[in-house]
Amino acid sequence: MTEDGHDALDVLDAFRQEAGLSHGELWLRYFELGGMSTGFDVEAFLYGVLAPSSHDHDVIAQALNERFAELGGNHPVPYATV
Amino acid sequence: MSVTKGTPDFGAVTNFEGDAATIALRGRVESGSAFELGAILDAAIDRKPASMVLDASELEYVGPAGLLAVSNAEKRLAVLGITLKIQSPSTLVNRLVGMMELAEVSRLERALPGHGHLGPEQLGERGDLTQRFASSLSSEDLRRLTALPADPDVIDGALRLIVELARISIAGADGVSVSLLRHGVLSTVAASDQTIMAMDADQYSTGQGPCVDASIKGHWFHAESLDTETRWPAFTPQARGLGIKAILSSPLRAFEKPVGALNIYSRTAESFEVKDQESAAVFAQQASVILSDARAGVSDTQMAIRFQEALRSRELITLAKGIIMGREDVDDESAFKVLLRSAHAEGLPLRERAGAIVLSVERPDLRTKGGPDD
């Protein structure tokens, strides 16, 4: 844990790893769902370096949750607004 | 003062400037040299340094035993209140360290391999962001962001580690291999021994076997007992001849296309339990992420097809959002929320729900009876 506490925000990236998606794959899925941010920005969101808007958070969460559903799981990633 | 130690494959130079220790590593840390690495690290820590840097720029490979030695050194240094810095690790070394979940504690000193140290002052106006980024991004990520081409040696090295870890950690695994499609041809890129190599080769030459099927069909195949197995008549007798009784092949994917398989072999029938199958799936997933990062086995044409698929979904979702915006007089983001809620209510992926909404407008006769009016 670093002083600025950013590790606590790495949680989205932990979901990505659990879902077995590379950053490139997750970005493509995010783009597929209408996401407007670049791959660079999405990585920054995943690591908690930049805070995503609640909309961006929800698009990423949905991209991850659809992947978990394909793997036979439920929707473990929480949404910001839905 | 510096001390040089080593063999042709592995070397270490310890350098103290005052109480600042730097240990430059070279070559490969296999299980034999891991012991030596541990001793070198211990000797340096015994001198109670005020700081310690492992210069990994010349390091090619670290196996599990070597990573354990580094991890132990980190723990000893932590007691002294010192954080071990790993300088300029290659992509592979960084990947391996990350895989052993040491990245969290290592505080890797980020630098682009082959570019020397890249400090924030050299990064121009993105410096601030990149600097903050650097504290949480691995140099592997930076490499990928700078779009350097993936090195096949890097992939093979990482896959060898997965083979090693799978063999150690899966009970009943007598041998493990990774098969990969390269230019449409299956070959073994990592195997725990020659029997396993031969076993894979028999499958390629007969075009049969769980490894071939998992690599091509993209789902897992489990031959619980080759004594009663009937699916691969040309291959099975050859495997039995080499003393193999059970095989578990899990598919590897890159950009969601099947590109190979992680194969686990046992000399005992029915030796893979459910938990072993789960472990195999986890290792296969790790390997898949590495392969996706490297875009291994995925041609430009396949990437283009995948990208076109993504564009089509995106268009469909945009259309559906447009319809909702018109109907409910809301903005784009609110329309997305409406779409998301209705997809969840129906248990459908967003793309399918969007498709249904678009269809309901294009073909009003297909609209659900009793549904909300416009």
Side-chain angles (χ1 to χ4, degrees):
Chain A
M1 183 57 113
T2 52
E3 298 74 24
D4 59 19
H6 76 247
D7 289 10
L9 296 166
D10 286 353
V11 92
L12 273 177
D13 199 62
F15 280 120
R16 175 193 65 80
Q17 288 176 25
E18 203 182 316
L21 291 175
S22 70
H23 285 112
E25 286 171 327
L26 177 58
W27 177 79
L28 194 54
R29 281 168 171 261
Y30 160 89
F31 174 81
E32 194 164 15
L33 299 183
M36 301 286 283
S37 297
T38 64
F40 190 84
D41 287 337
V42 169
E43 277 192 50
F45 299 153
L46 289 171
Y47 286 110
V49 175
L50 295 179
S53 68
S54 60
H55 175 67
D56 265 330
H57 176 99
D58 285 348
V59 180
I60 294 170
Q62 177 66 10
L64 287 166
N65 281 334
E66 287 193 2
R67 168 67 172 172
F68 282 115
E70 288 164 16
L71 296 172
N74 52 10
H75 281 199
V77 187
Y79 295 90
T81 58
V82 177
Chain B
M1 187 220 88
S2 76
V3 183
T4 307
K5 291 198 170 190
T7 64
D9 290 336
F10 167 71
V13 180
T14 306
N15 216 329
F16 268 86
E17 274 181 33
D19 51 8
T22 303
I23 302 175
L25 304 175
R26 166 183 63 75
R28 308 174 57 80
V29 185
E30 308 277 5
S31 44
S33 40
F35 184 75
E36 201 178 335
L37 173 62
I40 291 164
L41 293 170
D42 278 343
I45 297 167
D46 286 344
R47 294 177 57 181
K48 305 235 178 330
S51 69
M52 193 154 152
V53 174
L54 275 190
D55 178 354
S57 52
E58 301 290 314
L59 193 62
E60 291 161 24
Y61 178 80
V62 191
L67 291 169
L68 199 64
V70 173
S71 170
N72 286 338
E74 283 182 324
K75 284 178 198 145
R76 281 196 63 196
L77 285 167
V79 174
L80 301 173
I82 295 169
T83 307
L84 180 64
K85 283 203 167 75
I86 302 178
Q87 200 173 50
S88 306
S90 72
T91 307
L92 172 59
V93 168
N94 201 7
R95 202 21 120 184
L96 300 178
V97 170
M99 216 182 291
M100 296 297 282
E101 297 183 342
L102 294 175
E104 290 299 308
V105 288
S106 299
R107 297 285 175 266
L108 295 180
E109 186 161 304
R110 314 298 174 178
L112 287 171
H115 291 72
H117 186 78
L118 198 58
E121 68 282 4
Q122 290 158 271
L123 294 170
E125 53 190 44
R126 294 210 82 149
D128 182 45
L129 174 64
T130 314
Q131 190 185 9
R132 282 189 291 147
F133 233 106
S135 64
S136 58
L137 265 187
S138 69
S139 68
E140 165 66 14
D141 292 313
L142 289 175
R143 178 195 66 74
R144 208 164 38 68
L145 287 170
T146 55
L148 294 177
D151 181 349
D153 288 347
V154 169
I155 305 168
D156 291 358
L159 295 176
R160 277 200 300 275
L161 182 73
I162 287 178
V163 161
E164 215 168 323
L165 292 173
R167 193 184 56 77
I168 294 167
S169 58
I170 295 179
D174 289 316
V176 180
S177 72
V178 167
S179 315
L180 205 56
L181 275 168
R182 279 183 173 150
H183 309 293
V185 179
L186 261 181
S187 62
T188 300
V189 293
S192 53
D193 63 67
Q194 288 303 315
T195 307
I196 299 309
M197 264 314 214
M199 190 78 48
D200 283 355
D202 285 345
Q203 295 184 61
Y204 309 145
S205 64
T206 58
Q208 287 192 4
C211 143
V212 171
D213 281 355
S215 298
I216 291 167
K217 295 176 183 166
H219 54 94
W220 61 287
F221 285 85
H222 183 193
E224 290 176 56
S225 168
L226 291 186
D227 291 333
T228 54
E229 183 59 62
T230 56
R231 283 174 286 182
W232 307 286
F235 161 70
T236 306
Q238 300 184 23
R240 281 203 303 262
L242 289 169
I244 297 299
K245 295 286 190 182
I247 308 175
L248 178 63
S249 288
S250 309
L252 305 180
R253 295 187 187 83
F255 276 86
E256 301 169 36
K257 308 272 180 220
V259 295
L262 174 72
N263 312 299
I264 304 173
Y265 296 91
S266 178
R267 297 185 188 284
T268 315
E270 287 162 18
S271 55
F272 301 123
E273 296 172 15
V274 173
K275 69 174 168 48
D276 300 324
Q277 296 166 21
E278 286 168 1
S279 307
V282 169
F283 284 116
Q285 211 169 60
Q286 280 189 336
S288 294
V289 169
I290 289 167
L291 293 171
S292 294
D293 273 356
R295 260 219 255 159
V298 180
S299 67
D300 287 347
T301 318
Q302 283 172 315
M303 270 310 286
I305 291 169
R306 172 74 188 99
F307 199 70
Q308 279 164 7
E309 273 172 22
L311 271 176
R312 272 200 295 275
S313 297
R314 187 181 163 95
E315 275 169 26
L316 206 55
I317 287 166
T318 305
L319 267 175
K321 281 192 297 190
I323 291 165
I324 295 169
M325 284 161 75
R327 257 185 205 165
E328 307 198 8
D329 191 23
V330 291
D331 66 7
D332 181 84
E333 291 185 5
S334 307
F336 180 80
K337 269 178 230 166
V338 172
L339 179 60
L340 198 53
R341 280 197 207 102
S342 93
H344 289 172
E346 309 247 340
L348 289 174
L350 213 60
R351 176 205 170 108
E352 283 181 33
R353 185 65 197 118
I357 289 173
V358 171
L359 200 64
S360 75
V361 171
E362 287 177 353
R363 299 280 308 276
D365 52 308
L366 293 179
R367 218 176 290 168
T368 321
K369 281 195 180 124
D373 288 328
D374 292 352

